[in-house]
Amino acid sequence: MEGGIVFMAIGAVWFLFRKRIAAYQLYIVTEKFKVLPVRDQAEQARGMELLGIFFCSLLFLAGAVIVALRMLLA
């Protein structure tokens, strides 16, 4: 059950800071790995933000399922 709560907490924190995380990921990809950015960096950052929302929702949902199953089966 603790793992589920941790998943939900990480998903919530990721959702709160998703814009900063997406901007930092874009910086890492373009500057550190020397990948050329596309012409519209705002659109690329928005795409990375949407991908982050997808993953944080998966984390939160998985945590909720773990907690619910643990409560039902215990």
Side-chain angles (χ1 to χ4, degrees), residues 49-61:
E49 182 183 344
L50 287 175
L51 188 63
I53 289 173
F54 174 71
F55 282 121
C56 76
S57 64
L58 279 179
L59 272 174
F60 195 84
L61 183 64

Side-chain angles (χ1 to χ4, degrees), residues 28-68:
I28 287 175
V29 168
T30 56
E31 297 297 321
K32 299 290 183 181
F33 295 137
K34 303 297 183 201
V35 174
L36 295 175
V38 295
R39 290 184 180 155
D40 190 9
Q41 280 191 336
E43 189 66 31
Q44 188 175 10
R46 177 75 178 140
M48 293 180 91
E49 182 183 344
L50 287 175
L51 188 63
I53 289 173
F54 174 71
F55 282 121
C56 76
S57 64
L58 279 179
L59 272 174
F60 195 84
L61 183 64
V65 167
I66 289 170
V67 169

